Amino acid sequence: MNETEPHDADDRRALRQLQGQVEFVSMTAELLTAARSHVRILAQAADLGYLAHGEVIEALRALIRRSRRTRIELLLPPEVARDERGRALWDLAQRLTSFISVHRLADEDAQQPEAWLTADGRGYLHRAQAERLRGEGSLLAPARVRDLDERFAALWQHGAPDPGMRRLHV
């Protein structure tokens, strides 16, 4: 066994406090780079700046190239679904509908203030307040991710596919 393994595992489990776009871009790219196949994102308007950042878009593309089984689920409040700040993300989702599914939150869930991203049941980032780009994340926190994924699944079931993300066939 390598002497650095326990240290590396501790580093991955470490809870990181995140603030501002630079830290969110970095953590999101790190989570996506470590991901193998399944990413869930519940986004608010404040998240569009880092989710549509070039480094994050490239990490999403790389994840999709790594595996044909990749599934990215993006859940949004209705007013965020076509916000211009997310243009790079919307364009990617519209081009890659076999990998990226976009749902809108149901009306009764639309005021949900939190935002989060989970990757493969292992890593996450989470924001408790919709308007502030401040939160936490970890590369290895399966119990916390399980809770977020269960909540995401319930919101996903109540929501509906975003009609703006359908690929047009002519």
Side-chain angles (χ1 to χ4, degrees), residues 23-162:
E23 290 181 7
F24 273 85
V25 165
S26 177
M27 183 70 179
T28 302
E30 200 170 346
L31 284 164
L32 294 172
T33 299
R36 294 184 189 139
S37 64
H38 199 172
V39 173
R40 290 177 163 163
I41 303 169
L42 171 61
Q44 301 290 344
D47 300 295
L48 297 179
Y50 72 87
L51 289 173
H53 188 277
E55 187 177 341
V56 171
I57 295 297
E58 187 50 43
L60 285 166
R61 282 189 186 116
L63 171 60
I64 290 166
R65 284 192 301 263
R66 278 195 304 272
S67 172
R68 296 175 70 174
R69 295 186 338 236
T70 297
R71 295 295 311 139
I72 299 166
E73 296 171 338
L74 184 57
L75 188 56
L76 307 163
E79 71 277 0
V80 174
R82 301 307 291 162
D83 188 305
E84 200 53 39
R85 292 172 292 173
R87 170 62 51 207
L89 185 59
W90 313 145
D91 289 349
L92 184 67
Q94 204 159 25
R95 280 195 314 271
L96 299 171
T97 57
S98 56
F99 297 101
I100 303 172
S101 300
V102 181
H103 273 210
R104 288 186 181 189
L105 284 166
D107 290 341
E108 63 268 18
D109 298 322
Q111 298 308 312
Q112 203 294 121
E114 295 174 89
W116 65 79
L117 178 150
T118 64
D120 291 334
R122 297 179 312 200
Y124 79 97
L125 61 79
H126 177 261
R127 290 187 322 101
Q129 298 175 344
E131 68 281 350
R132 299 185 73 191
L133 207 51
R134 179 178 292 177
E136 65 183 31
S138 174
L139 294 173
L140 189 59
R144 178 69 169 133
V145 172
R146 195 169 24 259
D147 173 55
L148 293 172
D149 278 347
E150 286 172 7
R151 292 173 56 204
F152 186 96
L155 292 167
W156 186 266
Q157 289 300 317
H158 287 125
D162 183 332

